[in-house]
Amino acid sequence: MLFLLQLVMGILLIVSMIGYMQFVRKVMSIRWEFIPIFVFSAIACIVYFAGLAGQLFTGSIVVLVTGLLLFRGRVIHALYQSKRGSWSFSFSLFQLSFLSGVFVFLLILFHTELTHYDNFSHWAIVVKEMLSTNAFPTPNSDLIEFKNYPLGTSSFIYYICRFMGHTQPIMLLAQGLLIFSCFYAMFGIVSEKKRFLLYAFLGLGLSTLSFFNLTIRITNLLVDFLLPIFALAIVAAIYQYRHDLKRACIIILPLAGLLTVIKSTGIIFAAVGLIFLVYIWLTNKQRANWKIGLAVLGTIAGALLPYFSWSWRMATVFRGVNNKFEGAAAALKSGKTAEQKWDILVLFLKSSVDITSRPVLGIVIFEVAAIAASIVAHVVLKKKWNLWKVLIALNVVVVLYYAGILALYLFSMPVDEAVRLAGFERYASSIVVLFAGGLVLCAAVDIERTFHYRIGEVPDYQSFKTVQTKRHYQQGIIACMALAATTLLSEYNGMISITRTYDKTLPYEVHTVTGDRWYTGGKEDRSKYLFYGSDRDQQVTSYYMQYVGRYFLYAPNVDGIVLFYEDNMDNLLSNYDYLVVIETDLNAKMLLKKHYGIDMQKGIYKITRSGDQITLTLTSV
């Protein structure tokens, strides 16, 4: 019965989003490439503000119902048009190819479970709490440690999961919709839709971004990959509507607004897109038009509204609550020593130029490729490409971004994390994706401007300067598609491998023992749990096992241990309500048998205290 209900609600959710997309298409007359991400971002922003107002569930219902009403209106209109014989619907070759590829990857996500550490320390547990309470976390939410993390994508994931089900695959599916709609928007930078080579080239270039995304690949809820691709989607929309900036402003407003609350660093990536908007406004002979200038300024102000609203929430609702990476002044006063800062600086510089690392390798490869392409365009093709200008601008962005990361390590991040540059590859991968993606988009535009004939200037059968030119065009399509397919196949195999090996991961082991607990009203389990297991890969000392346990048990009081000391066993166990055995070993089995008369096995043991006597009772396996 529950499955049937979720199926019906899932269908209604899909129909609602289609209703929004059809409405946007009719009212705004924008290209299909930008409609999905525009609709998804707008929904996320609306749900986000509803959450700030304490109406998360009510806001979601209103969004769903409004979309259904819009769909009903469009169906009635379509039926009327079909009777008149003027209604038609079709897909282009590119759209069919893209949708087929997206379907394959979404299908994989639909069978994928979460494994990454940070899912359980924040990204997944915050969504679970939102679904359990139908509200944003409060200062009393003991399950959420990093309460200052914005809830942009979490709001969208909540909206999807609220109606389709709250399982981990649905969470991944929801975030996958954002990711692939961003990629779809990037293809909107192509003006001449009949030039399939441009789509093939973009497909190749954008598929290589997955190579620099292995540490933050789409099989988890981490948002580091969303940051750059949202910025790239904004750039694509601005460029495509550079001669109609009012329309561009409307499109990017929800995108930039959501980007500012995806993560605290999202404001940096949003700034890249907004600065590009200002640049286009000032250089595209529209400076004298005060209406356009007002639209640009209004877009910037509107995009910053979610960011400042979150800052206001942190300053009021969470006043006095210490959060991760906050309090730079306190860090300067009582944090790192001069020697520690020097060590951090040296390690940072070494890591930033380490050619064997994936981020540095990506920057070097695309740097060389962009320089080589610019030289060939100038010397051989006799064309003036803008690629070299974009390369310079992106290099400035990279340098400033790295400077910001360094400041984070020196002044804000805790010492134990800063001295080992915790998360460096992930942070660096985000800017490499922006760097590489920006060059690919620019190269696609330059290639489009390089064609001898524009679409529409001559009949289609005369669209090539020579027969040899046409042959090169066809060979280019085949080569790009083959390389793109190879790259995507590698990503596909990597995701399949992650899915198939889930039963060898710690989350799987914990889940088989604890189950995935959801409580009515979101009331936390206040019992105290002690997890026992080995410390392979530092899963206990890094607090990974404890975070996983907190997620599945929906309990904030979870500790971990890797070894029992016989003299202290009674004293230790008396402080807890349950012992959760994830893994067993001979020493622990012997001690539990000797002191409590049980044959230790995986499961949850109820700890009962009667005076000085401790009793362990197996409650579930």
Side-chain angles (χ1 to χ4, degrees), residues 5 8 48 65 67 72 107 119 132 219 263 265 347 355 379 418 446 484 572 581:
L5 177 61
V8 172
Y48 166 79
V65 173
R72 177 179 177 274
L107 190 61
N119 290 307
S132 299
T219 52
K263 195 177 181 181
T265 53
L347 180 58
I355 192 63
V379 177
D446 282 336
L572 173 68
V581 178

Side-chain angles (χ1 to χ4, degrees), residues 431-586:
I431 199 62
V432 173
V433 169
L434 179 67
F435 179 81
L439 291 177
V440 169
L441 293 182
C442 181
V445 172
D446 282 336
I447 292 173
E448 185 176 39
R449 292 170 52 245
T450 301
F451 285 108
H452 188 74
Y453 295 114
R454 304 266 71 78
I455 294 294
E457 287 182 352
V458 295
D460 289 347
Y461 67 89
Q462 296 179 350
S463 295
F464 299 93
K465 185 177 181 180
T466 64
V467 174
Q468 185 178 13
T469 302
K470 183 176 182 178
R471 188 184 305 114
H472 290 331
Y473 178 88
Q474 294 170 336
Q475 291 172 342
I477 292 177
I478 294 173
C480 288
M481 291 184 65
L483 291 173
T486 301
T487 304
L488 292 176
L489 183 61
S490 175
E491 180 70 8
Y492 170 85
N493 289 332
M495 293 174 63
I496 288 293
S497 176
I498 291 174
T499 302
R500 289 177 176 174
T501 57
Y502 177 68
D503 58 355
K504 297 180 176 60
T505 64
L506 178 65
Y508 172 81
E509 293 178 347
V510 174
H511 182 259
T512 55
V513 173
T514 65
D516 189 3
R517 303 184 183 185
W518 295 74
Y519 297 101
T520 304
K523 186 177 180 180
E524 298 172 356
D525 182 353
R526 307 306 301 185
S527 300
K528 295 181 179 180
Y529 293 87
L530 178 65
F531 275 62
Y532 183 89
S534 71
D535 198 31
R536 69 175 191 274
D537 300 323
Q538 296 185 320
Q539 62 184 15
V540 177
T541 53
S542 68
Y543 215 71
Y544 181 30
M545 181 181 289
Q546 293 88 314
Y547 277 130
V548 174
R550 286 160 61 109
Y551 175 86
F552 284 118
L553 291 171
Y554 202 71
N557 302 311
V558 175
D559 291 322
I561 190 173
V562 299
L563 182 67
F564 285 120
Y565 293 97
E566 186 170 8
D567 295 340
N568 192 47
M569 289 183 65
D570 285 353
N571 181 54
L572 173 68
L573 294 176
S574 66
N575 293 315
Y576 296 92
D577 300 304
Y578 294 93
L579 171 66
V580 183
V581 178
I582 303 302
E583 298 173 273
T584 63
D585 58 64
L586 291 177

Side-chain angles (χ1 to χ4, degrees), residues 185-197:
M186 292 180 215
F187 285 95
I189 204 169
V190 176
S191 296
E192 298 187 352
K193 295 184 178 182
K194 293 184 179 181
R195 301 287 193 188
F196 195 76
L197 175 62

Side-chain angles (χ1 to χ4, degrees), residues 46-57:
I46 293 171
V47 175
Y48 166 79
F49 281 113
L52 289 180
Q55 301 296 325
L56 193 58
F57 180 70

Side-chain angles (χ1 to χ4, degrees), residues 28 82 122 175 200 228 260 321 336 401 556 586:
M28 295 177 57
S82 63
H122 177 75
Q175 184 149 303
T260 63
V321 178
K336 308 170 185 71
Y401 182 83
L586 291 177

